[in-house]
Amino acid sequence: MRSKIAVAISLLITILLIGVLGFKFIQGLSWVDAIYMTVITISTVGYREVELPNEQTKIFIVLLLLFSVVIVGYAVSVITEYLISRSSLKDMREKRKQKHIDAMENHIIVCGYGRNGRQAVEKLRDYHREFIIIEKNQEVIDDCGLDSNMFLRGNANEDEVLIKAGIERASTLITALPDDADNLFTVLSARQLNKSLKIISRASEETSYKKLKLAGADNVILPDKIGGEHMASLIVSPDLIEFWDNLSYGGDEGVNLEQVSFEQMFDDNGDCSIIDLNLRQKTGCTIIGYKSADGNYTVNPDPKMMLTAGSKIIVVGNTQQILNLQKVYRINNEVT
């Protein structure tokens, strides 16, 4: 298509130059009059001639008209085809993207691609989790360096946009919009559309914490508060915080955390103790936490503690040990 447009423009410029030069040197018109006569001849508007043409000029005008009608017609058809195809291509891409979103199940919706949204997306990509980003600023989408298919342009406050993002089939929603009011409206809308959805919201002000929890957010994160506490902790207990910072979800030598549910470990509902699980020997990972079915946490659980349906264990290990764990228990979260 680009080559066709280039040819059409080249032909238009050529016929204009031939017309101007012809009127200039065959009939002896000035440059301005030659341009004027060329334009009204090619466009066939029928305005008055500057002066009556002689025999040679009449022949030139006839030839110019015949060639210009063909060239202008070709140029118009090429440009029209380009505009229509571009619009159709855009529609086709949008339909393909929506079809991909409609096929998603248990995916994650990230609202806003600011600083916090970007960090969340990087972590989700490390974990190879399926997600879609809702962002209303086209410049942000164009400049982020990610595939545009990862984005759904729109306002996360609107129910229609959330529905297009597959909110009814999603497992989690992360709303990281810069304004607390926008996060509040998004949480309200999302909770109404999906009662079982896990919602994690960002908040700038501590006063917004309770409001977001009442609106339906499962977790509310205050980035500024966490950042300040983190900096203070580097003074009080620097070695401990540096060790905690090394707990990452990536890298060949990094230390990783992973959670494993009872259902991933066992195919039946039979209880099993932590010591009988023999996780250290099987994978090299160490159990550092236990979450019961009713949501209570136990740090460094007793080896004799029983694992029951609905419970989870939290383990720590290096990259290879976590990979061994994922293979043994068929966990989809891969470490890279």
Side-chain angles (χ1 to χ4, degrees):
M1 180 56 66
R2 289 182 179 178
S3 61
K4 285 184 178 181
I5 291 175
V7 170
I9 292 173
S10 299
L11 289 173
L12 284 174
I13 293 173
T14 301
I15 199 69
L16 283 170
L17 288 175
I18 291 173
V20 171
L21 294 174
F23 283 112
K24 170 66 179 176
F25 296 106
I26 295 176
Q27 196 168 0
L29 300 178
S30 65
W31 287 111
V32 174
D33 289 341
I35 294 172
Y36 170 75
M37 286 297 298
T38 301
V39 172
I40 67 172
T41 301
I42 291 176
S43 61
T44 66
V45 295
Y47 288 152
R48 185 179 63 84
E49 298 165 329
V50 174
E51 61 181 61
L52 292 176
N54 54 35
E55 295 296 326
Q56 292 178 325
T57 304
K58 289 179 180 178
I59 295 173
F60 171 74
I61 291 174
V62 170
L63 295 175
L64 182 65
L65 275 169
L66 291 175
F67 283 105
S68 64
V69 167
V70 175
I71 292 172
V72 171
Y74 173 75
V76 170
S77 65
V78 168
I79 293 172
T80 303
E81 181 184 356
Y82 170 73
L83 294 175
I84 293 175
S85 64
R86 187 172 183 180
S87 177
S88 300
L89 183 61
K90 183 179 179 181
D91 292 341
M92 189 181 301
R93 287 175 178 171
E94 290 298 323
K95 289 180 180 178
R96 189 183 298 121
K97 180 193 295 185
Q98 191 59 51
K99 185 177 180 181
H100 172 69
I101 295 174
D102 292 341
M104 286 182 174
E105 293 283 348
N106 297 319
H107 59 290
I108 299 162
I109 301 173
V110 180
C111 302
Y113 195 69
R115 180 183 59 191
N116 299 125
R118 187 179 298 109
Q119 292 170 344
V121 166
E122 288 175 1
K123 191 63 65 177
L124 292 174
R125 294 182 72 189
D126 288 342
Y127 252 66
H128 297 277
R129 296 298 299 271
E130 196 172 30
F131 62 89
I132 188 73
I133 308 166
I134 298 177
E135 173 58 52
K136 65 180 181 180
N137 191 335
Q138 185 62 46
E139 290 184 6
V140 172
I141 299 174
D142 295 336
D143 298 338
C144 70
L146 297 179
D147 188 347
S148 60
N149 287 326
M150 295 181 178
F151 289 88
L152 176 64
R153 187 182 178 190
N155 192 334
N157 294 339
E158 300 175 1
D159 290 356
E160 294 80 2
V161 175
L162 291 173
I163 292 172
K164 287 182 67 176
I167 189 73
E168 292 138 334
R169 304 180 308 280
S171 63
T172 308
L173 180 133
I174 299 174
T175 173
L177 302 172
D179 188 76
D180 285 356
D182 290 335
N183 286 318
L184 182 62
F185 282 119
T186 302
V187 170
L188 282 169
S189 298
R191 180 56 71 206
Q192 292 299 316
L193 293 169
N194 188 339
K195 301 296 184 182
S196 62
L197 183 71
K198 180 177 179 61
I199 300 177
I200 303 170
S201 176
R202 173 191 182 277
S204 300
E205 305 292 336
E206 291 190 26
T207 54
S208 302
Y209 182 91
K210 289 185 178 180
K211 296 176 183 177
L212 286 162
K213 293 287 286 186
L214 288 171
D218 297 286
N219 302 98
V220 180
I221 309 300
L222 293 159
D224 294 337
K225 181 180 179 180
I226 293 174
E229 291 177 351
H230 188 86
M231 288 187 287
S233 298
L234 284 170
I235 299 173
V236 178
S237 51
D239 294 333
L240 176 62
I241 298 303
E242 286 183 10
F243 174 77
W244 181 257
D245 287 341
N246 287 326
L247 294 179
S248 63
Y249 293 92
D252 295 332
E253 302 298 331
V255 181
N256 302 269
L257 294 172
E258 182 63 271
Q259 66 177 28
V260 188
S261 67
F262 179 90
E263 287 70 24
Q264 288 173 307
M265 292 183 286
F266 306 105
D267 294 329
D268 53 39
N269 292 326
D271 296 345
C272 174
S273 68
I274 290 178
I275 193 170
D276 292 336
L277 191 60
N278 201 15
L279 192 71
R280 178 76 177 178
Q281 184 174 351
K282 289 181 181 179
T283 66
C285 294
T286 301
I287 300 175
I288 62 172
Y290 171 80
K291 181 181 179 182
S292 63
D294 55 8
N296 293 320
Y297 285 91
T298 303
V299 179
N300 193 22
D302 189 288
K304 296 180 181 179
M305 179 174 283
M306 299 300 294
L307 304 176
T308 59
S311 64
K312 296 179 181 178
I313 58 172
I314 292 88
V315 303
V316 63
N318 61 33
T319 301
Q320 187 56 51
Q321 290 168 341
I322 294 296
L323 286 173
N324 293 338
L325 176 79
Q326 292 170 349
K327 290 178 181 177
V328 171
Y329 294 113
R330 305 181 300 278
I331 301 173
N332 294 326
N333 297 341
E334 300 178 6
V335 177
T336 56

